[in-house]
């Protein structure tokens, strides 16, 4: 028993440190992008809350490992000494706390993924799929909690009763089946959301494969969830399942943050833009000179005054988001482009798209080109404007 306590302590706190390091990298990346610690988005704040619930998961898992629980054969539970009985009651309470922290952490991580996917699919047909999956996750969390706290074990005090005469109050079998069904099914649904986006993107094959690998990391979360339940169901009265509780939540937190750490990696290792480095074989060295002639452009849908302004360059993984979701703007929309910095001095441009045609002014000397039939089928979301100064 002592060896297991030491083992899970080392394992859990190592995973905790790595996960929190990735959360810090994510937030630092956002700071590099926005140049402010006050411009976090909703999923960033949710991830900060995840740090709290994930900490609770690690602490309660270690407390469960140090104590007994009421998940014992009836004859053993009835023959415990007073000290062991107190340990079992306390351990049972911590098991219930662990379950709550684990469920909440897993579903908050799902929320972070869905918010990211919502931005990826904004204005696309797949956006409704994100909403459906989000609604499914909400329903799954509510149903799981209602059944866990109000149905499977009544009265609720039986969760830490010793002995527990209702096996569902000590084994959690019915609860685990319900929670696992909603957990794994929603994870699998989310795994398939980026697939059509990647297949329809204009990224080079190498970049598509890289992004596919990043978004497929969720497979490891599903695998950990399956192994967690496997050890719960097949190893009765064995606390080894605690290791998989920790592994599942830690993997989920890591996977949710890895895709958003690219700006920091690019900054630390002086790497090129995710998009610009894939343009024509020069890598960072071939693009560094050109980068000085470009400024990021903000785009605003004038038919949607409240639409989020989207920076085109130096946005890390969001550059991929913009390129993947390349059909956001509708033909009848009008876009206004403004250079970032220097209060827009020296250059402005507008791109208008209407039912009668499309036109663009690229610089002061290029005339407006009339719309052709082919132009009407082209919808630009990401526009890069090259500024040339004498």
């Amino acid at each position: 028993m002592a060896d297991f306590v030491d083992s899970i302590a080392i394992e859990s706190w190592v995973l905790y440190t790595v996960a929190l390091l990735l959360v810090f990298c994510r937030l630092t990346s956002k700071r590099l992008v926005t140049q402010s610690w006050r411009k976090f988005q909703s999923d960033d704040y949710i991830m900060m809350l995840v740090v709290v619930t994930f900490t609770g998961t690690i602490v309660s898992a270690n407390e469960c490992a140090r104590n007994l629980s009421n998940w014992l054969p009836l004859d053993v539970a009835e023959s415990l000494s007073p000290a062991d009985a107190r340990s079992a009651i306390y351990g049972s309470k911590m098991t219930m706390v662990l379950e709550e922290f684990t469920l909440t952490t897993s579903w908050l991580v799902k929320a972070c993924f869905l918010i990211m996917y919502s931005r990826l699919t904004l204005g696309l047909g797949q956006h409704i799929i994100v909403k459906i999956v989000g609604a499914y996750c909400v329903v799954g969390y509510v149903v799981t909690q209602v059944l866990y706290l109000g149905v499977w074990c009544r009265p609720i005090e039986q969760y830490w009763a010793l002995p527990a005469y209702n096996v569902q109050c000590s084994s959690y079998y019915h609860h685990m089946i319900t929670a696992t069904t909603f957990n794994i099914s929603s994870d699998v649904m989310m795994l398939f959301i980026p697939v059509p986006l990647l297949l329809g993107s204009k990224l080079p094959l190498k970049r598509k494969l890289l992004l596919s690998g990043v978004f497929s990391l969720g497979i490891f979360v599903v695998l950990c969830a399956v192994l967690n339940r496997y050890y719960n169901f097949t190893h009765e009265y064995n606390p080894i399942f605690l290791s998989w509780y920790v592994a599942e939540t830690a993997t989920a937190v890591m996977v949710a943050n890895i895709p958003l750490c690219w700006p920091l990696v690019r900054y630390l290792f002086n790497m090129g833009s995710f998009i610009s480095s894939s343009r024509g074989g020069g890598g960072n060295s071939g693009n560094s000179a050109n980068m000085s002639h470009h400024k990021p452009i903000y785009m605003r849908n004038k038919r949607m005054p409240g639409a989020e302004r989207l920076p085109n360059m130096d946005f890390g993984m969001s550059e991929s988001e913009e390129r993947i979701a390349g059909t956001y703007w509708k033909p009848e929309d009008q876009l206004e482009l403004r250079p970032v910095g220097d209060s827009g001095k020296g250059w402005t441009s507008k791109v208008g798209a209407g039912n009668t045609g499309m036109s663009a002014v690229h610089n002061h000397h290029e005339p407006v080109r009339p719309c052709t039939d082919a132009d009407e089928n082209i919808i630009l979301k990401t526009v890069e404007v090259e500024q040339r100064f004498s």
Side-chain angles (χ1 to χ4, degrees):
M1 184 67 178
D3 291 340
F4 176 74
V5 172
D6 294 339
S7 173
I8 194 172
I10 295 172
E11 175 189 350
S12 61
W13 289 111
V14 168
L15 291 174
Y16 177 82
T17 302
V18 174
L20 258 63
L21 178 61
L22 288 172
V23 173
F24 176 76
C25 291
R26 171 208 182 106
L27 299 178
T28 304
S29 293
K30 184 59 67 70
R31 167 63 177 82
L32 290 173
V33 169
T34 62
Q35 299 299 309
S36 174
W37 290 106
R38 299 181 179 180
K39 294 183 179 180
F40 292 123
Q41 295 175 295
S42 56
D43 52 333
D44 300 314
Y45 289 110
I46 292 176
M47 186 53 64
M48 295 178 194
L49 180 58
V50 166
V51 171
V52 177
T53 60
F54 181 48
T55 303
T57 299
I58 300 300
V59 172
S60 55
N62 280 276
E63 287 298 303
C64 289
R66 294 190 190 98
N67 294 273
L68 300 173
S69 73
N70 61 359
W71 190 30
L72 298 167
L74 185 59
D75 58 332
V76 175
E78 292 176 338
S79 62
L80 290 177
S81 66
D84 288 341
R86 287 192 296 271
S87 174
I89 292 173
Y90 175 75
S92 299
K93 292 179 179 179
M94 292 308 302
T95 300
M96 189 176 181
V97 172
L98 170 64
E99 190 65 27
E100 281 295 330
F101 275 129
T102 302
L103 284 174
T104 303
T105 301
S106 297
W107 258 264
L108 287 175
V109 169
K110 295 179 198 293
C112 291
F113 270 115
L114 289 169
I115 291 172
M116 180 177 68
Y117 290 153
S118 179
R119 289 198 297 264
L120 275 169
T121 59
L122 188 62
L124 303 179
Q126 291 91 335
H127 195 63
I128 187 64
I129 299 177
V130 177
K131 291 182 178 180
I132 293 173
V133 176
Y136 179 79
C137 289
V138 171
V139 171
Y141 182 77
V142 172
V143 170
T144 300
Q145 290 284 17
V146 169
L147 293 176
Y148 176 47
L149 300 176
V151 176
W152 299 135
C153 179
R154 297 297 300 165
I156 195 171
E157 292 84 359
Q158 283 294 307
Y159 273 121
W160 56 85
L162 188 72
Y165 294 102
N166 180 355
V167 69
Q168 298 305 324
C169 298
S170 57
S171 68
Y172 291 28
Y173 282 155
H174 288 171
H175 164 69
M176 287 191 293
I177 292 172
T178 306
T180 303
T181 299
F182 282 113
N183 185 28
I184 294 181
S185 60
S186 58
D187 283 346
V188 171
M189 290 178 189
M190 288 191 291
L191 279 173
F192 285 100
I193 290 177
V195 172
L197 299 177
L198 291 172
L199 293 179
S201 71
K202 292 178 172 53
L203 289 170
L205 178 60
K206 180 172 63 175
R207 300 295 176 178
K208 286 185 180 182
L209 294 176
L210 177 59
L211 281 174
S212 297
V214 171
F215 286 119
S216 297
L217 291 174
I219 295 175
F220 293 101
V221 181
V222 175
L223 179 61
C224 288
V226 171
L227 290 173
N228 184 2
R229 295 318 181 200
Y230 169 78
Y231 282 103
N232 266 284
F233 287 121
T234 61
H235 292 66
E236 288 190 335
Y237 314 124
N238 192 324
I240 192 174
F241 73 91
L242 293 172
S243 296
W244 289 104
Y245 264 73
V246 172
E248 180 184 351
T249 51
T251 303
V253 174
M254 293 177 193
V255 169
N257 288 283
I258 287 174
L260 301 175
C261 294
W262 175 253
L264 179 61
V265 173
R266 190 178 63 192
Y267 175 80
L268 292 176
F269 297 99
N270 195 28
M271 299 173 67
S273 162
F274 186 85
I275 291 178
S276 62
S277 62
S278 65
R279 295 182 186 141
N284 190 46
S285 61
N287 287 282
S288 59
N290 292 334
M291 291 295 286
S292 62
H293 296 291
H294 293 76
K295 287 190 177 181
I297 300 299
Y298 278 123
M299 301 194 302
R300 178 172 58 187
N301 186 339
K302 301 187 83 171
R303 297 176 68 247
M304 299 173 61
E308 180 184 7
R309 292 189 176 187
L310 304 171
N312 175 37
M313 301 175 66
D314 297 328
F315 204 78
M317 279 302 297
S318 289
E319 297 176 79
S320 302
E321 293 175 11
E322 303 307 322
R323 178 62 64 88
I324 290 173
T327 56
Y328 172 73
W329 303 104
K330 300 178 178 63
E332 65 269 24
D333 292 344
Q334 185 179 17
L335 313 180
E336 180 180 359
L337 310 184
R338 296 178 180 178
V340 177
D342 298 331
S343 302
K345 293 180 180 180
W347 196 89
T348 58
S349 176
K350 290 186 178 180
V351 175
N355 295 327
T356 59
M358 181 183 295
S359 64
V361 178
H362 297 287
N363 56 51
H364 291 301
H365 306 290
E366 182 178 346
V368 175
R369 179 176 61 81
C371 174
T372 65
D373 292 337
D375 290 331
E376 293 182 347
N377 296 323
I378 299 175
I379 304 172
L380 299 177
K381 182 180 179 182
T382 303
V383 179
E384 183 177 286
V385 180
E386 181 175 0
Q387 287 189 306
R388 295 181 176 87
F389 298 92
S390 57

